[in-house]
Short mmCIF file of all heavy atoms in Angstrom, two decimals:
data_model
loop_
_atom_site.label_atom_id
_atom_site.label_comp_id
_atom_site.label_asym_id
_atom_site.label_seq_id
_atom_site.Cartn_x
_atom_site.Cartn_y
_atom_site.Cartn_z
N VAL A 148 0.27 7.18 -21.10
CA VAL A 148 -0.28 6.58 -19.89
C VAL A 148 0.01 7.45 -18.68
O VAL A 148 -0.86 7.68 -17.83
CB VAL A 148 0.30 5.17 -19.70
CG1 VAL A 148 -0.11 4.60 -18.34
CG2 VAL A 148 -0.18 4.24 -20.80
N LYS A 149 1.24 7.97 -18.58
CA LYS A 149 1.60 8.80 -17.44
C LYS A 149 0.75 10.06 -17.37
O LYS A 149 0.36 10.50 -16.28
CB LYS A 149 3.09 9.16 -17.50
CG LYS A 149 4.02 8.01 -17.15
CD LYS A 149 5.48 8.44 -17.16
CE LYS A 149 6.39 7.30 -16.74
NZ LYS A 149 7.82 7.69 -16.75
N LYS A 150 0.45 10.64 -18.53
CA LYS A 150 -0.38 11.84 -18.54
C LYS A 150 -1.80 11.53 -18.09
O LYS A 150 -2.43 12.32 -17.39
CB LYS A 150 -0.38 12.48 -19.92
CG LYS A 150 0.95 13.14 -20.26
CD LYS A 150 0.84 14.07 -21.46
CE LYS A 150 2.16 14.79 -21.70
NZ LYS A 150 2.06 15.78 -22.80
N ILE A 151 -2.30 10.37 -18.48
CA ILE A 151 -3.64 9.99 -18.05
C ILE A 151 -3.64 9.71 -16.55
O ILE A 151 -4.57 10.11 -15.84
CB ILE A 151 -4.13 8.76 -18.84
CG1 ILE A 151 -4.41 9.17 -20.29
CG2 ILE A 151 -5.37 8.14 -18.21
CD1 ILE A 151 -4.85 8.04 -21.19
N LEU A 152 -2.59 9.07 -16.04
CA LEU A 152 -2.50 8.84 -14.60
C LEU A 152 -2.39 10.16 -13.85
O LEU A 152 -2.98 10.32 -12.76
CB LEU A 152 -1.29 7.95 -14.28
CG LEU A 152 -1.30 6.55 -14.88
CD1 LEU A 152 -0.07 5.77 -14.40
CD2 LEU A 152 -2.56 5.79 -14.52
N PHE A 153 -1.65 11.11 -14.41
CA PHE A 153 -1.52 12.42 -13.77
C PHE A 153 -2.88 13.13 -13.74
O PHE A 153 -3.20 13.80 -12.75
CB PHE A 153 -0.50 13.28 -14.53
CG PHE A 153 -0.31 14.65 -13.93
CD1 PHE A 153 0.31 14.80 -12.71
CD2 PHE A 153 -0.77 15.78 -14.59
CE1 PHE A 153 0.48 16.06 -12.14
CE2 PHE A 153 -0.61 17.03 -14.04
CZ PHE A 153 0.03 17.17 -12.81
N LEU A 154 -3.66 12.96 -14.77
CA LEU A 154 -5.00 13.54 -14.79
C LEU A 154 -5.84 12.93 -13.67
O LEU A 154 -6.59 13.65 -12.99
CB LEU A 154 -5.66 13.29 -16.15
CG LEU A 154 -7.10 13.76 -16.31
CD1 LEU A 154 -7.20 15.26 -16.13
CD2 LEU A 154 -7.64 13.34 -17.68
N SER A 155 -5.72 11.62 -13.47
CA SER A 155 -6.46 10.97 -12.38
C SER A 155 -6.00 11.50 -11.03
O SER A 155 -6.81 11.69 -10.12
CB SER A 155 -6.24 9.45 -12.44
OG SER A 155 -6.76 8.92 -13.64
N TYR A 156 -4.70 11.76 -10.90
CA TYR A 156 -4.18 12.32 -9.65
C TYR A 156 -4.74 13.72 -9.41
O TYR A 156 -5.18 14.05 -8.29
CB TYR A 156 -2.65 12.36 -9.68
CG TYR A 156 -2.05 13.22 -8.59
CD1 TYR A 156 -1.97 12.76 -7.29
CD2 TYR A 156 -1.57 14.51 -8.88
CE1 TYR A 156 -1.44 13.55 -6.29
CE2 TYR A 156 -1.03 15.30 -7.89
CZ TYR A 156 -0.97 14.83 -6.59
OH TYR A 156 -0.45 15.62 -5.59
N CYS A 157 -4.72 14.54 -10.43
CA CYS A 157 -5.21 15.91 -10.29
C CYS A 157 -6.68 15.96 -9.89
O CYS A 157 -7.13 16.91 -9.24
CB CYS A 157 -5.01 16.69 -11.59
SG CYS A 157 -3.28 17.01 -11.99
N ASP A 158 -7.44 14.93 -10.25
CA ASP A 158 -8.86 14.89 -9.94
C ASP A 158 -9.13 14.46 -8.50
O ASP A 158 -10.26 14.56 -8.04
CB ASP A 158 -9.56 13.94 -10.91
CG ASP A 158 -11.07 14.04 -10.84
OD1 ASP A 158 -11.61 15.11 -11.20
OD2 ASP A 158 -11.70 13.07 -10.38
N LEU A 159 -8.10 13.98 -7.80
CA LEU A 159 -8.30 13.55 -6.41
C LEU A 159 -8.57 14.74 -5.51
O LEU A 159 -7.97 15.80 -5.67
CB LEU A 159 -7.06 12.82 -5.90
CG LEU A 159 -6.69 11.47 -6.51
CD1 LEU A 159 -5.36 10.99 -5.94
CD2 LEU A 159 -7.78 10.44 -6.26
N PRO A 160 -9.46 14.58 -4.53
CA PRO A 160 -9.61 15.63 -3.50
C PRO A 160 -8.32 15.71 -2.68
O PRO A 160 -7.54 14.75 -2.63
CB PRO A 160 -10.79 15.14 -2.67
CG PRO A 160 -10.91 13.68 -2.94
CD PRO A 160 -10.39 13.46 -4.32
N HIS A 161 -8.13 16.83 -2.02
CA HIS A 161 -6.86 17.09 -1.32
C HIS A 161 -6.53 15.99 -0.31
O HIS A 161 -5.38 15.54 -0.23
CB HIS A 161 -6.91 18.44 -0.62
CG HIS A 161 -5.67 18.75 0.17
ND1 HIS A 161 -4.46 19.02 -0.43
CD2 HIS A 161 -5.45 18.79 1.52
CE1 HIS A 161 -3.54 19.24 0.50
NE2 HIS A 161 -4.11 19.10 1.69
N TYR A 162 -7.54 15.54 0.45
CA TYR A 162 -7.27 14.55 1.49
C TYR A 162 -6.78 13.23 0.91
O TYR A 162 -6.02 12.50 1.55
CB TYR A 162 -8.50 14.34 2.37
CG TYR A 162 -9.73 13.81 1.66
CD1 TYR A 162 -9.92 12.44 1.47
CD2 TYR A 162 -10.70 14.68 1.17
CE1 TYR A 162 -11.04 11.96 0.82
CE2 TYR A 162 -11.83 14.21 0.52
CZ TYR A 162 -11.99 12.85 0.35
OH TYR A 162 -13.11 12.37 -0.30
N LEU A 163 -7.20 12.89 -0.33
CA LEU A 163 -6.72 11.66 -0.96
C LEU A 163 -5.36 11.85 -1.60
O LEU A 163 -4.57 10.89 -1.69
CB LEU A 163 -7.72 11.18 -2.01
CG LEU A 163 -8.96 10.44 -1.50
CD1 LEU A 163 -9.78 9.93 -2.68
CD2 LEU A 163 -8.58 9.27 -0.60
N LYS A 164 -5.06 13.05 -2.06
CA LYS A 164 -3.74 13.30 -2.65
C LYS A 164 -2.64 13.03 -1.63
O LYS A 164 -1.59 12.44 -1.96
CB LYS A 164 -3.65 14.74 -3.15
CG LYS A 164 -4.39 15.00 -4.45
CD LYS A 164 -4.21 16.43 -4.90
CE LYS A 164 -4.92 16.67 -6.24
NZ LYS A 164 -4.83 18.08 -6.67
N ILE A 165 -2.85 13.44 -0.40
CA ILE A 165 -1.83 13.24 0.64
C ILE A 165 -1.61 11.74 0.89
O ILE A 165 -0.47 11.26 0.94
CB ILE A 165 -2.25 13.95 1.94
CG1 ILE A 165 -2.32 15.46 1.73
CG2 ILE A 165 -1.26 13.63 3.06
CD1 ILE A 165 -2.83 16.23 2.92
N CYS A 166 -2.71 11.01 1.03
CA CYS A 166 -2.59 9.56 1.25
C CYS A 166 -1.95 8.87 0.05
O CYS A 166 -1.18 7.91 0.21
CB CYS A 166 -3.97 8.97 1.53
SG CYS A 166 -4.72 9.54 3.08
N PHE A 167 -2.28 9.35 -1.14
CA PHE A 167 -1.74 8.78 -2.36
C PHE A 167 -0.23 9.01 -2.45
O PHE A 167 0.54 8.09 -2.77
CB PHE A 167 -2.45 9.41 -3.56
CG PHE A 167 -2.04 8.86 -4.89
CD1 PHE A 167 -2.29 7.54 -5.23
CD2 PHE A 167 -1.40 9.66 -5.82
CE1 PHE A 167 -1.91 7.03 -6.46
CE2 PHE A 167 -1.03 9.17 -7.06
CZ PHE A 167 -1.28 7.84 -7.38
N LEU A 168 0.23 10.22 -2.13
CA LEU A 168 1.66 10.52 -2.16
C LEU A 168 2.42 9.69 -1.13
O LEU A 168 3.60 9.35 -1.33
CB LEU A 168 1.89 12.01 -1.92
CG LEU A 168 1.43 12.97 -3.02
CD1 LEU A 168 1.72 14.41 -2.62
CD2 LEU A 168 2.11 12.65 -4.35
N ASP A 169 1.76 9.34 -0.04
CA ASP A 169 2.43 8.56 1.00
C ASP A 169 2.83 7.18 0.51
O ASP A 169 3.72 6.54 1.08
CB ASP A 169 1.50 8.43 2.22
CG ASP A 169 2.21 7.85 3.43
OD1 ASP A 169 3.23 8.42 3.84
OD2 ASP A 169 1.77 6.81 3.94
N LEU A 170 2.21 6.70 -0.57
CA LEU A 170 2.56 5.39 -1.13
C LEU A 170 3.96 5.38 -1.74
O LEU A 170 4.51 4.31 -2.01
CB LEU A 170 1.53 4.98 -2.18
CG LEU A 170 0.09 4.80 -1.67
CD1 LEU A 170 -0.86 4.60 -2.84
CD2 LEU A 170 0.00 3.63 -0.70
N SER A 171 4.54 6.56 -1.97
CA SER A 171 5.90 6.63 -2.52
C SER A 171 6.93 6.10 -1.54
O SER A 171 8.07 5.79 -1.92
CB SER A 171 6.24 8.07 -2.90
OG SER A 171 6.20 8.91 -1.74
N ILE A 172 6.55 5.97 -0.28
CA ILE A 172 7.45 5.45 0.76
C ILE A 172 7.85 4.00 0.47
O ILE A 172 8.96 3.58 0.77
CB ILE A 172 6.72 5.50 2.13
CG1 ILE A 172 6.39 6.95 2.47
CG2 ILE A 172 7.51 4.78 3.20
CD1 ILE A 172 7.24 7.67 3.38
N PHE A 173 6.95 3.22 -0.16
CA PHE A 173 7.14 1.78 -0.29
C PHE A 173 7.89 1.42 -1.57
O PHE A 173 7.68 2.05 -2.60
CB PHE A 173 5.78 1.07 -0.26
CG PHE A 173 5.00 1.31 1.00
CD1 PHE A 173 4.06 2.33 1.06
CD2 PHE A 173 5.23 0.55 2.13
CE1 PHE A 173 3.35 2.58 2.22
CE2 PHE A 173 4.52 0.78 3.30
CZ PHE A 173 3.58 1.80 3.34
N PRO A 174 8.70 0.36 -1.54
CA PRO A 174 9.46 -0.04 -2.73
C PRO A 174 8.54 -0.59 -3.82
O PRO A 174 7.38 -0.93 -3.57
CB PRO A 174 10.38 -1.16 -2.20
CG PRO A 174 10.37 -1.03 -0.72
CD PRO A 174 9.05 -0.44 -0.36
N GLU A 175 9.09 -0.70 -5.02
CA GLU A 175 8.35 -1.26 -6.15
C GLU A 175 7.92 -2.70 -5.85
O GLU A 175 8.68 -3.48 -5.29
CB GLU A 175 9.22 -1.22 -7.40
CG GLU A 175 8.52 -1.69 -8.67
CD GLU A 175 9.40 -1.57 -9.90
OE1 GLU A 175 10.33 -0.76 -9.88
OE2 GLU A 175 9.16 -2.30 -10.88
N ASP A 176 6.68 -3.03 -6.23
CA ASP A 176 6.10 -4.36 -6.06
C ASP A 176 5.88 -4.76 -4.61
O ASP A 176 5.57 -5.91 -4.32
CB ASP A 176 6.95 -5.44 -6.75
CG ASP A 176 6.99 -5.26 -8.26
OD1 ASP A 176 5.99 -4.82 -8.83
OD2 ASP A 176 8.05 -5.55 -8.86
N HIS A 177 6.03 -3.84 -3.69
CA HIS A 177 5.82 -4.14 -2.28
C HIS A 177 4.34 -4.36 -2.01
O HIS A 177 3.49 -3.58 -2.46
CB HIS A 177 6.34 -2.99 -1.42
CG HIS A 177 6.39 -3.29 0.05
ND1 HIS A 177 7.39 -4.04 0.61
CD2 HIS A 177 5.57 -2.95 1.08
CE1 HIS A 177 7.20 -4.14 1.91
NE2 HIS A 177 6.09 -3.49 2.22
N VAL A 178 4.00 -5.43 -1.29
CA VAL A 178 2.63 -5.68 -0.88
C VAL A 178 2.39 -4.92 0.42
O VAL A 178 3.03 -5.20 1.44
CB VAL A 178 2.35 -7.18 -0.70
CG1 VAL A 178 0.94 -7.41 -0.18
CG2 VAL A 178 2.55 -7.91 -2.03
N ILE A 179 1.46 -3.98 0.38
CA ILE A 179 1.22 -3.06 1.49
C ILE A 179 -0.04 -3.50 2.23
O ILE A 179 -1.14 -3.45 1.68
CB ILE A 179 1.05 -1.62 0.99
CG1 ILE A 179 2.21 -1.24 0.06
CG2 ILE A 179 0.95 -0.65 2.14
CD1 ILE A 179 1.97 0.03 -0.75
N GLY A 180 0.09 -3.94 3.46
CA GLY A 180 -1.06 -4.38 4.24
C GLY A 180 -2.04 -3.24 4.46
O GLY A 180 -1.63 -2.11 4.80
N ARG A 181 -3.33 -3.52 4.27
CA ARG A 181 -4.34 -2.47 4.39
C ARG A 181 -4.38 -1.88 5.80
O ARG A 181 -4.32 -0.66 5.97
CB ARG A 181 -5.73 -3.02 4.05
CG ARG A 181 -6.82 -1.96 3.98
CD ARG A 181 -8.23 -2.52 3.97
NE ARG A 181 -8.67 -2.90 5.29
CZ ARG A 181 -8.86 -4.13 5.70
NH1 ARG A 181 -8.63 -5.14 4.88
NH2 ARG A 181 -9.28 -4.39 6.93
N SER A 182 -4.47 -2.75 6.81
CA SER A 182 -4.60 -2.24 8.17
C SER A 182 -3.35 -1.48 8.61
O SER A 182 -3.44 -0.46 9.31
CB SER A 182 -4.89 -3.39 9.14
OG SER A 182 -3.86 -4.34 9.13
N CYS A 183 -2.16 -1.95 8.19
CA CYS A 183 -0.92 -1.23 8.52
C CYS A 183 -0.89 0.13 7.85
O CYS A 183 -0.48 1.13 8.45
CB CYS A 183 0.29 -2.05 8.10
SG CYS A 183 0.52 -3.58 9.05
N LEU A 184 -1.33 0.18 6.60
CA LEU A 184 -1.31 1.44 5.86
C LEU A 184 -2.23 2.47 6.50
O LEU A 184 -1.84 3.64 6.70
CB LEU A 184 -1.72 1.20 4.41
CG LEU A 184 -1.75 2.44 3.49
CD1 LEU A 184 -0.35 3.06 3.39
CD2 LEU A 184 -2.27 2.07 2.11
N ILE A 185 -3.46 2.07 6.84
CA ILE A 185 -4.39 3.06 7.39
C ILE A 185 -3.94 3.51 8.77
O ILE A 185 -4.16 4.67 9.16
CB ILE A 185 -5.84 2.54 7.41
CG1 ILE A 185 -6.01 1.38 8.37
CG2 ILE A 185 -6.31 2.17 6.02
CD1 ILE A 185 -7.45 0.95 8.53
N ARG A 186 -3.26 2.65 9.51
CA ARG A 186 -2.76 3.07 10.83
C ARG A 186 -1.58 4.02 10.67
O ARG A 186 -1.38 4.92 11.51
CB ARG A 186 -2.39 1.85 11.67
CG ARG A 186 -3.61 1.03 12.04
CD ARG A 186 -3.40 0.17 13.27
NE ARG A 186 -4.62 -0.55 13.60
CZ ARG A 186 -5.63 -0.03 14.28
NH1 ARG A 186 -5.55 1.22 14.69
NH2 ARG A 186 -6.70 -0.75 14.54
N ARG A 187 -0.80 3.86 9.62
CA ARG A 187 0.25 4.84 9.32
C ARG A 187 -0.37 6.19 8.99
O ARG A 187 0.11 7.24 9.44
CB ARG A 187 1.12 4.36 8.15
CG ARG A 187 2.14 3.29 8.48
CD ARG A 187 3.01 2.97 7.26
NE ARG A 187 3.66 4.16 6.75
CZ ARG A 187 4.97 4.31 6.59
NH1 ARG A 187 5.79 3.33 6.92
NH2 ARG A 187 5.47 5.41 6.10
N TRP A 188 -1.41 6.17 8.16
CA TRP A 188 -2.10 7.43 7.80
C TRP A 188 -2.63 8.14 9.04
O TRP A 188 -2.50 9.35 9.17
CB TRP A 188 -3.24 7.13 6.85
CG TRP A 188 -2.83 6.74 5.47
CD1 TRP A 188 -1.60 6.87 4.91
CD2 TRP A 188 -3.67 6.16 4.45
NE1 TRP A 188 -1.60 6.40 3.61
CE2 TRP A 188 -2.86 5.97 3.31
CE3 TRP A 188 -5.00 5.79 4.40
CZ2 TRP A 188 -3.36 5.42 2.13
CZ3 TRP A 188 -5.51 5.24 3.23
CH2 TRP A 188 -4.70 5.06 2.10
N ILE A 189 -3.23 7.36 9.94
CA ILE A 189 -3.77 7.95 11.16
C ILE A 189 -2.65 8.54 12.01
O ILE A 189 -2.75 9.65 12.54
CB ILE A 189 -4.56 6.90 11.97
CG1 ILE A 189 -5.83 6.50 11.21
CG2 ILE A 189 -4.91 7.41 13.36
CD1 ILE A 189 -6.56 5.32 11.81
N ALA A 190 -1.55 7.79 12.13
CA ALA A 190 -0.42 8.25 12.93
C ALA A 190 0.17 9.55 12.41
O ALA A 190 0.61 10.40 13.19
CB ALA A 190 0.66 7.16 12.97
N GLU A 191 0.18 9.71 11.10
CA GLU A 191 0.75 10.93 10.51
C GLU A 191 -0.24 12.09 10.50
O GLU A 191 0.11 13.21 10.14
CB GLU A 191 1.23 10.66 9.09
CG GLU A 191 2.57 9.96 9.04
CD GLU A 191 3.53 10.64 8.07
OE1 GLU A 191 3.76 11.86 8.20
OE2 GLU A 191 4.04 9.95 7.19
N GLY A 192 -1.49 11.83 10.86
CA GLY A 192 -2.48 12.90 10.89
C GLY A 192 -3.10 13.19 9.55
O GLY A 192 -3.63 14.30 9.33
#
């Protein structure tokens, strides 16, 4: 499963890889608000 997920990651365009890696900030099972998340992305550039 991890290898298949890694394949999905590798297929992401560069701009999505950065946003995807940013999700590592949040703890396991954390519910991440959509509007808060996109405003964090904007703030970080």
